[in-house]
Amino acid sequence: MESPQLHCILNSNSVACSFAVGAGFLAFLSCLAFLVLDTQETCIADTRFKTAFQLLDFILADIPGLPGIPGPPK
């Protein structure tokens, strides 16, 4: 029978679990931010901001070692 209390599966290390939860939360927030910026891309007038946003989007989409859809071919 399972315990109703949560426990960490990362060697019972609460710091590792907290880091994993924090990293996941930041990844979720960055996905939401990029989704909003992608939908509003045509309304962005500042070309420097648009260029920086697109460059950061391409860089983060192609970080090696991250699971998911692979980035553009090199």
Side-chain angles (χ1 to χ4, degrees):
M1 182 164 185
E2 291 187 24
S3 162
Q5 184 180 8
L6 294 175
H7 67 281
C8 182
I9 60 169
L10 300 173
N11 294 330
S12 297
N13 186 347
S14 63
V15 174
C17 284
S18 297
F19 176 78
V21 169
F25 183 69
L26 288 176
F28 176 72
L29 288 180
S30 68
C31 287
L32 287 180
F34 276 109
L35 181 65
V36 168
L37 286 171
D38 276 339
T39 59
Q40 300 297 322
E41 188 174 4
T42 57
C43 299
I44 299 173
D46 187 14
T47 56
R48 291 184 74 192
F49 177 75
K50 187 183 277 191
T51 303
F53 159 68
Q54 289 174 341
L55 184 61
L56 185 62
D57 194 10
F58 286 131
I59 289 171
L60 291 178
D62 197 29
I63 294 177
L66 290 179
I69 300 171
K74 294 183 177 183

